[in-house]
Amino acid sequence: TNEGAKSFARRDKLIEIQKQAQKRWEEEKAFEMDAPAPGSAAPEKHFVTFPYPYMNGLLHLGHTFSLSKTEFSMGYERLKGKKTLWPFGFHCTGMPIQAAADNLRRDIIGMYQEIYGGEEEKEADAEASKEEEEAEMDPTKFKGKKSKAAAKKGKGNQWQVLESMDIPRETIPRFVDPVYWLQYFPPIAKQDLIEMGVKVDWRRSFITTNVNPYYDSFIQWQFHKLRKLEKVSFGKRYSIFSPIDNQICADHDRATGEGVGPQEYVLIKMEILTLPPALQQLEGKKVVLLAATLRPETMYGQTNCWVLPHEKDGSEVWYGCYETKTPGEIAIVGERAARNMAFQGLTPEFGEVREVMRVRGRDLVGLPLRAPLTKLCPIYTLPMLTISMKKGTGVVTSVPSDAPDDYQALMDLKNKPALREKYGVKDEWVLPFDLIPIIEIPYKRDDAPEGAEPELTDLAAKVACEEYKVASQNDKEKLVLAKAKTYKLGFYEGKMTIGDFKGMPVQEAKNRVKAQMLEENNAYSYAEPEKEVMSRSGNECVVALTDQWYIKYGEEEWRKQVEEHLQKDLNCYSDDTKSKFEAALSWLGEWGCSRSFGLGTLLPWDKQFVIESLSDSTIYMAYYTFCHILHQGPFDGSVPGPAGVVAKDLTEEVWDYILLDGPQPKDSKVPQETLERMKQEFNYWYPVDLRVSGKDLIQNHLTFFLYNHAAIFPKKHWPRSIRTNGHVLLNNEKMSKSTGNFKTLKQAIGEYSADGMRFALALAGDGNEDANFEHDVANAAILKLTNELQFVEKSLTELDKMRTGELDLFIDKNFDNEINRLVKSADECYRRMQFRESVIEGWDKLQNARDKYRAMAGPIGMHAELIKKFITCQTLVIAPICPHYSEYVWGLLGHKESVMEARWPEVGDVDPLLVRMNSYFDKTLSDIRAKTDKARAKKAVAKATVYVADEFLDWQQAALNVLRSVVDKGESFGKDFKKNMMSFPELAPFKAQTKVLMPFAAFSIDEFEARGPEAFELKVPYDEVRLLTDSIEYLKGELSVEEIEVTKWPPSDPAVLKNLSNNPATPGKPAVSFS
């Protein structure tokens, strides 16, 4: 359509402007910044960084939204006269690229086999079919989920992922080499960012891993430092682990489950005293149910054990019987728990599950058990339908004295014979078992009177279920409340009343009971992921207990250093971000930093390990400051920089000298001049002034960033500010390649132009909540920018026809004042990094002020000086957001230098009186418009008469004087003020006016809340009649009336006066009549 062609023409105009601007910036090296030479003036600097994106694909709008905050900050601080630097690296460390390359290799092998169909695969499929048939016949055997041939194919979609990025088919096989990813994607990312117009100094770019020998040397130095500072240690630790990769799976190696950690339990051994028929083949073995608990100290109160008899839909539940590390012992648990146990040394071989047989959940009901610590023997297994086989072992021990779920489930079975009959539960398994008091807590009901003392109870679960009126085990919401209360009170205020640790606080007893049970071989330590975690290699992760090097985050003194920095010196821009850091610091502990394989730097003192991706990315911002001296050209460090430094010459002494003011390195092969230049660059640019990132990195990377700076650098080099944001939605939906709701950076620039996209990114949102990039907003931005270009081009050719001379008219003074006010307001928004508000103040509101000025100027026309000021100010204020547009307009304004050399507009002071007059005019127009529309609905309106009052009526003046006296005394208007207002002696003469005086006073108090003390003024400090009279033509047009008369109150016509008596004119609030 013509309209479609027109819209593309507008976008294409912006893209043409964009290309011209980028060409100029490249030629002028606009963003290449060097530290000032020693001894010369050092201007204030602004050094910003953004977490280097991972190079396993193209940059998309998710990356772009976060990095746009960095870019907008760069533009603003540059306008404010600071020397600004933004370097940009590319992260390649870790498993994601390795996993993707491995998946592609499997895809290609699978595709080959599908085409040529080898005999081996046919045999494997036939074998798998046979196994499945056998499994159908024998339910004690697990069913294979896929054939062996299919299993070999792995995830099976990496080829399609690469194809979806428009990578030529003939190129895709090269991606089986992980190093090829490092060569392919970074240059594309750089080009896409250049087309966005980012202010990056590309000389300072690099890729990570030992492919880049210079960066590799820097990371080795960092880890030597951490080890010497005793921040790194070695030992067995629980970690999320990928069985297919056979190594730890850190946050950035995961497809899902980022931030999920190990949850530690105690597995209680509950020995079966008499084996049922279903378990007869285990005769001669010690067979135990393993129940996972977080509360070992409560085991004294066990009265029974719970198992899941069947799924909610009635289908069978299967438990496995597995060999454990204890000879002759068989443990009954769910399959998922067995898999985790195998990687924690709880089975005969690491990583190997030895299943002897399977048993149905229903066949485990009614087993007699010997359980540790409880005085009851035997206790019995009973059915519970709320057990999840995806959490714990599928076996749950029951302590009804202190666990509301256990209490209510036991009461249901005790009180409901039909329920017992349904599951074949004999009375003797349930009825004789009473609650065992084990922990005494001070319990206070939620509805207890304020100040009431709590009552002591040793049956907290019973008391809580009664308080919250729990009727059955299906009352989930009430049980959640009861559980939260009893668990919290039990742990923090409970005292043991039984056992070897009687009288001891629960907090102390917990670990002692655990240690005792482990020592007596009545329990195992166990852990599993808090939630499901999937590795990028496509398998579900487990928790493994492995030997590893780990960084000792959470160490008390180290943590205190970081907490003090957070509270005293770090600007987080929002309370939410700060509180998220506080939370992360409160729980973050030891972090495994070594991996068996993957891309990265080898641990310098133990080269069988690779440093993982969240550990080689904590202080690399320092490397940015001088890396352009070390290498140039390709990102991999293959071309030495101008000084010809060789990576192997970067010894620990050299790094100490540059980064820590260490002693002069002896016999260094690095020229002294180069050392001094690197040191100068580092000392000028460091610390990081602003780090921008998604909020999801607070729980790992950003907190590591603070920890490592605190450990390695002196305080003067610790980060100054961190600004986080939420995720970005695309058209109010989560971005997803699978649903097609996805946009790469390149696609967005092509569709909307760089400035159209940037405009929409700025408006998408600024807080930690999810932002929304909207197609309609980006399209509207194209229209806004091109419309404004037309206004600018037309206005600049017509300046000589516009009015000149003094700014005497109210409309001129007011517009000038609005420009000043909105430029200052936008300045404050930018300073706070509130970019959405910056656009609203510096573009939308500024244009509204211009549009109103243009309309009010009407036949007399606009003032040339003001229009030029408006264009200049708007161009500069929007430059951080839309730099290509601003570059073009800056040239139209006659400036020879780039807008990148311009400074924030200097404007005059804001006149508060003019602001009030403007607000009065807008409010009056809005009020009269509403009244005109109402009158017009009844009859035609040709004339409006506006009445302006010089003073209030006597009773109004008395009321305002009373209100002002309250404020002058520093008192406030409490809830009873209005009720008692007529008791003021000054209002005694006006009792007859009470019905109108009270609403007037209430209105005036509301106005005071909004406007301050001016709401109680007896006169307004400007001439209302003149203000309105000067704008008669504008008002007539806005109200669509033929005539407007502005006159003094009261009306001479008694009928009009009577008609307006309920809404008389008062100072600052005209009345109006129509004819």
Side-chain angles (χ1 to χ4, degrees):
T1 64
N2 286 340
E3 192 181 328
K6 185 179 174 187
S7 68
F8 283 127
R10 286 173 175 269
R11 179 202 64 191
D12 293 346
K13 167 80 170 168
L14 293 177
I15 288 177
E16 182 192 331
I17 286 170
Q18 164 186 321
K19 286 177 178 172
Q20 290 169 5
Q22 288 169 9
K23 185 169 181 284
R24 176 176 189 167
W25 298 336
E26 187 175 3
E27 288 170 355
E28 295 182 359
K29 301 186 186 318
F31 311 131
E32 292 186 8
M33 293 287 165
D34 292 308
S40 62
E44 192 177 354
K45 56 90 182 181
H46 184 63
F47 175 36
V48 303
T49 64
F50 170 81
Y52 39 27
Y54 202 78
M55 286 293 100
N56 58 345
L58 304 173
L59 296 180
H60 53 70
L61 270 182
H63 297 113
T64 312
F65 175 65
S66 286
L67 68 84
S68 72
K69 310 296 184 190
T70 320
E71 165 66 7
F72 299 156
S73 168
M74 279 287 290
Y76 169 68
E77 297 292 353
R78 186 169 180 139
L79 280 168
K80 297 297 280 186
K82 291 181 184 173
K83 200 172 176 75
T84 55
L85 177 66
W86 181 13
F88 204 102
F90 301 100
H91 203 192
C92 305
T93 305
M95 277 303 296
I97 288 173
Q98 182 78 56
D102 291 346
N103 284 337
L104 180 64
R105 186 184 299 277
R106 283 194 286 268
D107 286 355
I108 292 171
I109 292 169
M111 289 157 72
Y112 177 88
Q113 289 168 346
E114 276 178 24
I115 294 167
Y116 298 106
E119 287 302 313
E120 185 191 333
E121 280 65 45
K122 289 176 185 171
E123 286 172 18
D125 278 338
E127 186 189 330
S129 299
K130 187 181 172 189
E131 282 177 9
E132 285 182 20
E133 283 173 24
E134 287 174 3
E136 291 294 339
M137 303 285 287
D138 181 358
T140 64
K141 289 190 177 178
F142 281 117
K143 296 175 192 174
K145 290 198 170 64
K146 51 174 139 176
S147 72
K148 289 182 181 177
K152 283 183 185 177
K153 291 174 193 171
K155 229 172 155 185
N157 68 355
Q158 193 61 52
W159 182 285
Q160 291 97 313
V161 168
L162 291 169
E163 241 181 354
S164 73
M165 297 180 201
D166 295 327
I167 296 171
R169 294 195 72 151
E170 61 273 16
T171 305
I172 291 177
R174 300 184 68 181
F175 285 88
V176 298
D177 177 6
V179 176
Y180 187 68
W181 298 65
L182 281 56
Q183 297 160 357
Y184 186 86
F185 285 114
I188 294 174
K190 174 184 173 181
Q191 190 53 43
D192 290 349
L193 289 164
I194 287 172
E195 286 180 19
M196 180 182 168
V198 296
K199 298 169 188 66
V200 166
D201 182 348
W202 290 110
R203 300 172 305 157
R204 299 170 187 263
S205 295
F206 58 86
I207 59 170
T208 65
T209 78
N210 54 8
V211 168
N212 182 336
Y214 297 96
Y215 188 75
D216 191 53
S217 172
F218 173 75
I219 296 301
Q220 288 188 42
W221 170 80
Q222 176 192 353
F223 271 77
H224 276 306
K225 283 280 155 259
L226 290 173
R227 196 179 186 204
K228 284 180 180 175
L229 292 163
E230 298 183 347
K231 304 297 185 191
V232 182
S233 199
F234 186 78
K236 284 193 184 295
R237 292 291 182 277
Y238 286 124
S239 297
I240 305 294
F241 187 91
S242 166
I244 202 169
D245 298 319
N246 197 35
Q247 69 169 351
I248 292 165
C249 187
D251 280 358
H252 287 184
D253 302 328
R254 302 175 189 176
T256 61
E258 187 168 339
V260 174
Q263 172 68 65
E264 294 187 38
Y265 293 90
V266 179
L267 298 186
I268 307 300
K269 294 187 183 184
M270 312 179 82
E271 185 181 354
I272 302 174
L273 298 176
T274 307
L275 292 176
L279 296 175
Q280 279 307 309
Q281 76 178 76
L282 301 179
E283 195 66 53
K285 304 280 187 183
K286 180 181 178 181
V287 185
V288 296
L289 294 175
L290 291 181
T293 182
L294 297 168
R295 305 187 67 194
E297 75 284 359
T298 65
M299 293 306 99
Y300 294 102
Q302 295 176 90
T303 59
N304 61 282
C305 169
W306 304 112
V307 292
L308 183 63
H310 56 72
E311 296 288 6
K312 285 179 183 168
D313 62 3
S315 60
E316 296 289 7
V317 167
W318 292 92
Y319 287 79
C321 304
Y322 305 96
E323 292 183 18
T324 72
K325 69 173 185 177
T326 305
E329 182 179 82
I330 301 293
I332 299 177
V333 294
E335 179 190 2
R336 180 175 171 274
R339 195 160 165 262
N340 278 276
M341 288 169 63
F343 289 90
Q344 296 168 29
L346 298 179
T347 57
E349 293 290 330
F350 184 84
E352 185 183 321
V353 175
R354 291 187 187 171
E355 181 203 284
V356 178
M357 63 174 290
R358 289 203 304 165
V359 61
R360 296 184 305 180
R362 67 179 66 235
D363 292 331
L364 295 177
V365 174
L367 301 182
L369 306 173
R370 179 189 292 118
L373 299 185
T374 179
K375 64 184 181 183
L376 302 176
C377 188
I379 60 173
Y380 292 91
T381 47
L382 301 174
M384 181 186 254
L385 294 181
T386 55
I387 290 173
S388 167
M389 298 301 282
K390 292 181 178 177
K391 197 170 183 70
T393 61
V395 179
V396 180
T397 187
S398 175
V399 183
S401 58
D402 287 76
D405 286 325
D406 296 341
Y407 171 78
Q408 199 54 54
L410 186 62
M411 289 304 108
D412 286 354
L413 281 170
K414 275 180 179 263
N415 300 330
K416 298 174 182 176
L419 185 62
R420 297 200 295 276
E421 189 178 336
K422 180 179 178 181
Y423 289 104
V425 173
K426 295 180 181 178
D427 290 358
E428 58 265 32
W429 299 347
V430 179
L431 298 182
F433 294 88
D434 294 324
L435 276 56
I436 304 171
I438 56 170
I439 295 171
E440 186 179 72
I441 65 169
Y443 192 97
K444 186 175 175 181
R445 293 173 61 95
D446 293 351
D447 58 4
E450 202 172 322
E453 288 295 315
E455 295 178 12
L456 290 176
T457 178
D458 52 13
L459 297 173
K462 179 175 185 288
V463 174
C465 285
E466 288 168 356
E467 178 184 359
Y468 293 108
K469 297 182 172 56
V470 180
S472 82
Q473 61 192 298
N474 299 319
D475 276 354
K476 289 182 182 173
E477 289 181 13
K478 292 177 180 177
L479 279 167
V480 165
L481 294 172
K483 189 154 58 172
K485 186 165 184 177
T486 54
Y487 283 18
K488 184 178 176 184
L489 285 171
F491 183 72
Y492 290 106
E493 299 184 48
K495 259 189 189 167
M496 302 299 297
T497 61
I498 193 170
D500 293 349
F501 307 104
K502 184 176 179 178
M504 188 179 286
V506 166
Q507 288 186 70
E508 289 179 39
K510 183 183 183 111
N511 287 329
R512 296 207 188 187
V513 174
K514 175 182 174 180
Q516 186 183 68
M517 283 200 289
L518 291 174
E519 191 179 330
E520 293 172 357
N521 201 23
N522 286 325
Y524 292 127
S525 285
Y526 166 81
E528 66 184 29
E530 295 162 320
K531 294 176 187 170
E532 183 181 85
V533 178
M534 298 298 291
S535 78
R536 290 181 187 266
S537 300
N539 72 313
E540 186 178 348
C541 291
V542 296
V543 167
L545 187 62
T546 58
D547 281 327
Q548 58 181 290
W549 290 98
Y550 56 89
I551 300 175
K552 297 193 281 189
Y553 298 130
E555 183 187 70
E556 190 175 0
E557 285 307 309
W558 197 8
R559 190 188 74 244
K560 280 181 182 172
Q561 274 185 299
V562 178
E563 285 173 338
E564 186 179 338
H565 177 51
L566 174 68
Q567 298 302 336
K568 290 185 178 177
D569 303 312
L570 188 72
N571 180 3
C572 293
Y573 296 92
S574 82
D575 290 339
D576 184 55
T577 297
K578 189 173 183 178
S579 66
K580 281 180 166 60
F581 270 114
E582 288 167 348
L585 286 166
S586 72
W587 63 259
L588 186 68
E590 296 167 348
W591 180 267
C593 60
S594 58
R595 299 291 176 268
S596 303
F597 70 99
L599 304 177
T601 291
L602 299 180
L603 204 59
W605 61 85
D606 193 351
K607 296 197 172 178
Q608 63 175 313
F609 291 111
V610 180
I611 297 166
E612 62 88 37
S613 65
L614 279 161
S615 299
D616 81 337
S617 53
T618 57
I619 62 164
Y620 69 89
M621 312 83 201
Y623 184 76
Y624 278 138
T625 61
F626 45 68
C627 65
H628 61 303
I629 299 169
L630 296 175
H631 50 78
Q632 59 190 343
F635 301 138
D636 62 3
S638 58
V639 179
V645 176
V646 180
K648 66 180 175 58
D649 293 337
L650 294 169
T651 61
E652 190 172 350
E653 292 75 22
V654 166
W655 288 121
D656 284 352
Y657 181 72
I658 296 164
L659 292 157
L660 298 177
D661 280 332
Q664 180 78 33
K666 292 174 185 172
D667 307 321
S668 175
K669 292 181 182 175
V670 182
Q672 186 62 31
E673 186 186 342
T674 304
L675 288 174
E676 294 305 329
R677 189 177 162 214
M678 288 172 71
K679 193 170 184 173
Q680 172 69 7
E681 287 281 338
F682 172 71
N683 283 318
Y684 175 69
W685 291 114
Y686 235 59
V688 173
D689 294 293
L690 169 68
R691 180 89 171 150
V692 172
S693 168
K695 65 179 179 185
D696 50 312
L697 294 187
I698 292 174
Q699 66 189 357
N700 44 52
H701 162 71
L702 290 173
T703 304
F704 297 172
F705 167 62
L706 296 178
Y707 262 116
N708 278 268
H709 276 81
I712 292 171
F713 295 110
K715 213 167 191 176
K716 66 178 182 179
H717 285 150
W718 294 2
R720 287 180 178 163
S721 78
I722 296 175
R723 203 272 196 199
T724 63
N725 52 263
H727 300 293
V728 68
L729 305 175
L730 181 55
N731 300 316
N732 257 326
E733 290 180 14
K734 191 174 178 182
M735 279 216 301
S736 164
K737 288 178 186 171
S738 59
T739 63
N741 191 49
F742 187 80
K743 250 185 193 39
T744 64
L745 170 55
K746 189 177 183 67
Q747 286 169 340
I749 294 169
E751 190 169 350
Y752 308 117
S753 79
D755 281 353
M757 176 194 73
R758 292 167 66 119
F759 200 106
L761 286 168
L763 289 174
D766 281 314
N768 276 338
E769 63 280 358
D770 286 348
N772 184 29
F773 181 94
E774 294 184 75
H775 171 76
D776 291 345
V777 172
N779 266 343
I782 296 171
L783 202 61
K784 286 179 178 181
L785 290 165
T786 50
N787 281 346
E788 197 58 23
L789 275 180
Q790 289 169 4
F791 169 80
V792 169
E793 288 167 342
K794 185 170 182 287
S795 298
L796 292 178
T797 59
E798 295 177 356
L799 279 180
D800 56 347
K801 298 175 192 168
M802 294 183 188
R803 277 189 300 119
T804 55
E806 293 294 317
L807 303 177
D808 286 334
L809 297 177
F810 165 71
I811 56 170
D812 291 339
K813 289 178 182 174
N814 183 56
F815 183 40
D816 187 43
N817 200 53
E818 281 298 280
I819 293 172
N820 295 347
R821 184 178 73 82
L822 291 166
V823 166
K824 287 178 185 288
S825 176
D827 191 0
E828 180 58 22
C829 293
Y830 272 121
R831 190 187 63 76
R832 296 197 312 267
M833 294 190 73
Q834 298 292 326
F835 300 117
R836 187 172 188 274
E837 297 304 314
S838 303
V839 173
I840 290 169
E841 297 294 306
W843 180 272
D844 294 343
K845 289 185 180 179
L846 198 52
Q847 282 192 12
N848 291 343
R850 185 272 318 275
D851 294 344
K852 179 179 161 187
Y853 173 61
R854 180 167 49 184
M856 289 181 77
I860 61 169
M862 300 183 288
H863 196 291
E865 184 186 320
L866 281 178
I867 289 305
K868 191 163 184 187
K869 176 177 177 178
F870 163 78
I871 294 171
T872 300
C873 288
Q874 182 182 249
T875 302
L876 292 172
V877 170
I878 203 66
I881 313 292
C882 302
H884 310 93
Y885 164 89
S886 293
E887 186 68 67
Y888 180 72
V889 175
W890 198 241
L892 294 180
L893 285 165
H895 296 280
K896 294 286 183 283
E897 80 282 2
S898 165
V899 76
M900 292 299 152
E901 303 307 316
R903 293 292 171 261
W904 186 263
E906 289 186 21
V907 293
D909 292 335
V910 178
D911 184 339
L913 182 58
L914 281 169
V915 173
R916 274 188 71 180
M917 291 166 75
N918 186 43
S919 174
Y920 161 82
F921 185 87
D922 288 347
K923 199 169 178 184
T924 300
L925 174 58
S926 174
D927 187 42
I928 296 174
R929 185 185 284 118
K931 288 173 179 171
T932 306
D933 291 344
K934 193 174 177 184
R936 194 173 274 134
K938 296 177 183 173
K939 63 175 184 177
V941 173
K943 178 183 177 182
T945 305
V946 180
Y947 299 97
V948 173
D950 284 338
E951 56 185 26
F952 287 97
L953 300 175
D954 51 0
W955 60 267
Q956 291 173 323
Q957 291 186 38
L960 290 171
N961 284 331
V962 165
L963 295 174
R964 192 170 61 247
S965 70
V966 171
V967 173
D968 289 346
K969 289 178 197 165
E971 296 171 4
S972 60
F973 302 109
K975 58 182 178 181
D976 296 327
F977 177 81
K978 293 173 190 171
K979 199 191 301 179
N980 304 323
M981 185 172 169
M982 291 308 293
S983 61
F984 278 86
E986 298 93 320
L987 300 181
F990 305 110
K991 294 271 192 225
Q993 284 84 18
T994 300
K995 281 192 176 177
V996 286
L997 189 150
M998 290 306 295
F1000 173 76
F1003 170 77
S1004 299
I1005 290 170
D1006 289 344
E1007 285 287 286
F1008 168 74
E1009 299 294 340
R1011 291 164 42 213
E1014 71 180 50
F1016 301 147
E1017 289 175 347
L1018 299 182
K1019 290 187 183 235
V1020 293
Y1022 46 84
D1023 186 338
E1024 291 181 66
V1025 174
R1026 184 178 171 195
L1027 186 52
L1028 297 172
T1029 305
D1030 283 352
S1031 306
I1032 286 285
E1033 293 305 315
Y1034 174 68
L1035 291 171
K1036 278 159 62 173
E1038 288 290 304
L1039 301 172
S1040 303
V1041 294
E1042 293 167 24
E1043 188 183 347
I1044 292 179
E1045 181 187 352
V1046 181
T1047 185
K1048 291 290 180 78
W1049 177 268
S1052 53
D1053 184 337
V1056 174
L1057 180 60
K1058 185 180 179 188
N1059 197 33
L1060 293 175
S1061 60
N1062 285 337
N1063 287 296
T1066 56
K1069 198 169 181 242
V1072 61
S1073 68
F1074 303 99
S1075 56

